């Protein structure tokens, strides 16, 4: 029998020393994790955008980690924290923007909180009712960068880069204007008010107006701006005129502008050119003269109804306006007068009907011309301009019969002589008539009339006591006679019958005479011989 095989022989183990720096596979996982984390950290640092701080008056609508910053409705950042300022006067929002937004953080970049607003007749931010408020951003054009900003309390009217130009308007007050109020040109809305501020001296308001392209080219150096916030009603010889720009302008206010036809060829106005904002179109479109002379008209009439700005009229043409009204006491005559200071525009006396004619003075020596006109009877007179309102104006005209007068050029301003107004002349005439009536001896005439009336009364009494009874008796006798005559003239009265018989007898007698006459005509000898029948 064979022996069973034994276990195989194992090789002898040889001990090998372990390497000190040999890395085991188990460490690969944490190493890879560290590398990935480092790469992500480096990438986060490389891709991290700029951080800005924005100050707001209130933290309404701001929430850390949720409130977005949007530019043209694209997310460009998020608010990281919202804290109070050190003086507790504002809220400071720290926001982190995307890396690409670094070039947008310029000195004139603007930020504002977009929330529902109603201003200037426009409604904005309605979408935030569902999505929540966010911070709007508008990139500026400055070359200087910035990292801390003061947020706007209201969104800008227009974004940067919108074609157009901005102009500055000076006004006495705001009227009914507000940021966003429309600006009209020939009843088209072409711009809006962007901002306003009270002047440092408190005597006016400065407004900034933006006119969109291409309408901004119609703003020239002589363009006139005026308030178009209401209804302009005027009454003239053509009836009642009502002018307004639009219903929007009536409700929320607005402006309008236009360039006078005679200056429409001027060049376009430069950016931020200053203009005066007038109260209405009539005031704005008034002719603005370059030459202005100041004179004084000294009136003895009442100037009730004469206001500052009232026209100075020369035969229907407005050649000036009233600048001031004063009172003056003459120590010599102990009388008051009303000096009215006026501004005259010599250019309006210049003939302009010829093509290419330019304005200016009528004469190179205005003093000599004025003295000559006054010598010819040029005078100032108060006249009624409107019978309904009683408004007065100053009329310049020639009065050849006026008393001689001159101009004292040493006075400042010089004085042009005046004549009484039409109403004053009427009052003087009435006063003169009353004075003449006062000279009539109405008392003596009354006494004589009273004496005459007494004598007449005595005569009437005598007539009643003496003459009237006799006249009554005479009238009674006459009445009796008339009654008797009436009875005698009745057809059946004796007088009427006797009269009829007498008439018949007279008729027969007349017939006998006629027969006798005929016979004598045939026998004239019968007057001597008698009738032949009687002789037989």
């Amino acid at each position: 029998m064979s022996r069973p095989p034994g276990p195989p022989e194992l090789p002898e183990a040889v001990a090998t020393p372990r390497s000190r720096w040999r890395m085991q596979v188990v460490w690969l996982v944490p190493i890879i994790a560290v590398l990935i984390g480092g790469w992500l950290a480096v990438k986060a640092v490389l891709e991290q955008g700029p951080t800005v701080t924005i100050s707001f008056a209130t933290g309404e609508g701001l929430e850390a980690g949720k409130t977005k910053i949007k530019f043209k409705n694209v997310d460009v950042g998020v608010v990281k924290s919202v804290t109070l300022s050190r003086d507790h006067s504002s809220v400071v929002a720290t926001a982190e923007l995307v890396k690409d937004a670094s070039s947008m953080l310029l000195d004139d970049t603007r930020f504002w909180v977009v929330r529902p607003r109603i201003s200037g007749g426009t409604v904005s931010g309605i979408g935030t009712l569902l999505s929540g408020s966010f911070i709007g951003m508008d990139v500026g054009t400055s070359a200087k960068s910035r990292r801390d900003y003061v947020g706007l309390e209201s969104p800008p009217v227009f974004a940067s880069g919108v074609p157009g130009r901005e102009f500055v308007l000076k006004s006495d007050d705001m009227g009914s204007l507000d940021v966003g109020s429309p600006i009209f040109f020939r009843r088209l809305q072409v711009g809006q008010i962007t901002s306003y501020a009270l002047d440092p001296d408190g005597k006016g308001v400065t407004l900034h107006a933006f006119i969109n392209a291409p309408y901004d080219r119609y703003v020239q150096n002589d363009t006139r701006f005026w308030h178009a916030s209401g209804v302009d009603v005027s009454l003239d010889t053509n009836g009642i005129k009502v002018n307004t720009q639009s219903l929007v302008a009536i409700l929320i206010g607005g402006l309008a502008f236009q360039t006078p036809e005679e200056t429409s060829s001027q060049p376009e106005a430069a950016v931020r050119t200053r203009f005066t904002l007038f109260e209405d179109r009539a005031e704005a479109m008034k002719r603005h003269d370059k030459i202005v002379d100041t004179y004084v008209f000294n009136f003895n009439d009442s100037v009730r109804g004469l206001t500052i700005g009232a026209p100075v009229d020369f035969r229907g043409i407005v050649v000036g306006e009233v600048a001031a009204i004063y009172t003056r006491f003459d120590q010599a005559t102990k009388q008051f007068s009303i000096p009215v200071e006026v501004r005259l525009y010599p250019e309006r006396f210049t003939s302009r009907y010829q093509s290419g004619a330019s304005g200016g003075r009528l004469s190179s020596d205005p003093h000599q011309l004025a003295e000559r006109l006054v010598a010819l009877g040029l005078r100032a007179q108060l006249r009624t301009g409107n019978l309904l309102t009683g408004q007065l104006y100053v009329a310049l005209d020639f009065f050849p019969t006026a008393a001689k007068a001159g101009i004292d050029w040493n006075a400042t301003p010089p004085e042009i002589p005046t004549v009484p107004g039409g109403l004053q002349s009427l009052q003087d005439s009435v006063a003169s008539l009353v004075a003449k009536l006062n000279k009539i001896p109405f008392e003596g005439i009354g006494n004589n009339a009273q004496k005459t009336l007494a004598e007449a009364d005595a005569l009437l009494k005598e007539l009643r006591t003496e003459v009237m009874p006799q006249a009554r008796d005479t009238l009674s006798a006459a009445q009796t006679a008339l009654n008797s005559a009436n009875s005698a003239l009745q057809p059946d009265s004796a007088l009427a019958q006797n009269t009829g018989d007498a008439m018949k007898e007279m008729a027969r007698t007349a017939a006998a005479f006629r027969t006798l006459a005929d016979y004598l005509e045939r026998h004239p000898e019968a007057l001597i011989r008698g009738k032949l029948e009687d002789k037989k």
Side-chain angles (χ1 to χ4, degrees), residues 274-348:
R274 289 179 174 267
F275 295 93
T276 300
L277 180 59
F278 296 94
E279 290 295 328
D280 51 39
R281 186 181 187 278
E283 181 68 21
M285 298 307 291
K286 277 184 178 179
R287 185 174 169 182
H288 294 182
D289 299 83
K290 298 180 180 179
I291 305 176
V292 181
D293 291 338
T294 303
Y295 291 92
V296 166
F297 301 148
N298 192 29
F299 294 102
N300 294 320
D301 311 18
S302 172
V303 295
R304 183 179 180 85
L306 185 68
T307 59
I308 296 177
V312 178
D313 180 283
F314 177 73
R315 296 184 175 179
I317 304 299
V318 177
V319 295
E321 62 181 359
V322 174
I325 302 175
Y326 307 101
T327 58
R328 177 190 297 172
F329 181 72
D330 192 341
Q331 294 290 346
T333 61
K334 306 299 182 183
Q335 294 181 349
F336 283 94
S337 60
I338 309 296
V340 176
E341 184 177 319
V342 300
R343 289 190 290 262
L344 295 182
Y345 308 116
E347 292 177 291
R348 302 191 183 186

Side-chain angles (χ1 to χ4, degrees), residues 334-413:
K334 306 299 182 183
Q335 294 181 349
F336 283 94
S337 60
I338 309 296
V340 176
E341 184 177 319
V342 300
R343 289 190 290 262
L344 295 182
Y345 308 116
E347 292 177 291
R348 302 191 183 186
F349 290 95
T350 307
S351 175
R352 289 171 175 254
Y353 67 89
Q354 295 181 351
S355 176
S358 58
R361 297 184 181 274
L362 290 175
S363 173
S364 58
D365 189 352
H367 291 186
Q368 182 180 1
L369 177 61
E371 290 177 353
R372 182 179 178 184
L373 294 177
V374 169
L376 293 175
L378 181 66
R379 300 289 188 273
Q381 185 184 50
L382 290 175
R383 295 180 181 175
T384 302
N386 193 311
L387 295 177
L388 297 177
T389 61
Q391 291 180 339
L392 299 179
Y393 69 96
V394 180
L396 284 176
D397 209 338
F398 289 94
F399 298 86
T401 59
K404 298 298 182 180
I407 301 178
D408 183 9
W409 296 106
N410 294 324
T412 304

Side-chain angles (χ1 to χ4, degrees), residues 428-468:
D428 294 341
S429 300
V430 172
S432 177
L433 177 60
V434 170
K436 293 179 180 179
L437 292 176
N438 288 334
K439 295 179 180 180
I440 299 175
F442 289 104
E443 185 176 357
I445 295 175
N447 294 333
N448 294 333
Q450 187 175 4
K451 184 178 179 181
T452 303
L453 291 174
E455 293 177 354
D457 186 58
L459 179 60
L460 289 175
K461 290 181 179 180
E462 183 179 357
L463 290 175
R464 285 197 300 268
T465 57
E466 297 181 5
V467 178
M468 290 299 294

Side-chain angles (χ1 to χ4, degrees), residues 94-428:
T94 303
E96 182 179 335
L97 278 68
V98 298
K99 183 179 180 179
D100 295 338
S102 299
S103 60
M104 299 170 17
L105 298 177
L106 305 177
D107 186 62
D108 54 349
T109 296
R110 298 175 290 183
F111 294 90
W112 67 95
V113 178
V114 178
R115 59 174 67 97
R117 299 175 187 270
I118 300 177
S119 176
T122 60
V123 180
S124 61
I126 297 298
T128 59
L129 292 174
L130 300 177
S131 62
S133 300
F134 61 90
I135 297 178
M137 179 180 179
D138 180 50
V139 180
T141 59
S142 176
K144 183 180 178 181
S145 61
R146 187 175 177 182
R147 288 296 184 270
D148 56 323
Y149 298 89
V150 176
L152 303 177
E153 293 303 316
S154 59
V157 178
F158 63 95
S160 301
V162 175
R165 283 180 290 171
E166 188 178 40
F167 302 98
V168 180
L169 306 179
K170 301 291 292 184
S171 177
D172 293 335
D173 54 62
M174 279 291 295
S176 58
L177 300 176
D178 195 0
V179 174
S181 295
I183 300 177
F184 298 93
F185 176 70
R186 301 190 182 277
R187 301 185 186 275
L188 294 175
Q189 184 173 345
V190 298
Q192 53 277 327
I193 300 296
T194 60
S195 64
Y196 61 86
L198 184 67
D199 293 343
D201 57 3
K203 296 182 179 179
V205 178
T206 300
L207 302 95
H208 292 80
F210 185 81
I211 309 298
N212 301 316
Y215 307 104
D216 57 334
R217 62 190 177 94
Y218 298 112
V219 180
Q220 302 174 351
N221 293 329
D222 195 32
T223 296
R224 317 288 173 81
F225 288 81
W226 67 88
H227 285 273
S229 304
V231 180
D232 183 12
V233 181
S234 62
L235 175 63
D236 55 18
T237 56
N238 295 323
I240 299 178
K241 294 181 179 179
V242 180
N243 295 320
T244 183
Q245 291 297 325
S246 69
L247 183 59
V248 175
I250 296 175
L251 296 177
I252 66 172
L255 300 180
F257 69 88
Q258 187 176 343
T259 304
E261 294 295 335
E262 59 269 18
T263 59
S264 58
S265 60
Q266 293 186 358
E268 299 178 11
V271 177
R272 301 186 67 83
T273 301
R274 289 179 174 267
F275 295 93
T276 300
L277 180 59
F278 296 94
E279 290 295 328
D280 51 39
R281 186 181 187 278
E283 181 68 21
M285 298 307 291
K286 277 184 178 179
R287 185 174 169 182
H288 294 182
D289 299 83
K290 298 180 180 179
I291 305 176
V292 181
D293 291 338
T294 303
Y295 291 92
V296 166
F297 301 148
N298 192 29
F299 294 102
N300 294 320
D301 311 18
S302 172
V303 295
R304 183 179 180 85
L306 185 68
T307 59
I308 296 177
V312 178
D313 180 283
F314 177 73
R315 296 184 175 179
I317 304 299
V318 177
V319 295
E321 62 181 359
V322 174
I325 302 175
Y326 307 101
T327 58
R328 177 190 297 172
F329 181 72
D330 192 341
Q331 294 290 346
T333 61
K334 306 299 182 183
Q335 294 181 349
F336 283 94
S337 60
I338 309 296
V340 176
E341 184 177 319
V342 300
R343 289 190 290 262
L344 295 182
Y345 308 116
E347 292 177 291
R348 302 191 183 186
F349 290 95
T350 307
S351 175
R352 289 171 175 254
Y353 67 89
Q354 295 181 351
S355 176
S358 58
R361 297 184 181 274
L362 290 175
S363 173
S364 58
D365 189 352
H367 291 186
Q368 182 180 1
L369 177 61
E371 290 177 353
R372 182 179 178 184
L373 294 177
V374 169
L376 293 175
L378 181 66
R379 300 289 188 273
Q381 185 184 50
L382 290 175
R383 295 180 181 175
T384 302
N386 193 311
L387 295 177
L388 297 177
T389 61
Q391 291 180 339
L392 299 179
Y393 69 96
V394 180
L396 284 176
D397 209 338
F398 289 94
F399 298 86
T401 59
K404 298 298 182 180
I407 301 178
D408 183 9
W409 296 106
N410 294 324
T412 304
E415 181 178 323
I416 294 179
T418 63
V419 295
L423 182 58
Q424 183 66 32
S425 299
L426 178 60
Q427 292 176 350
D428 294 341

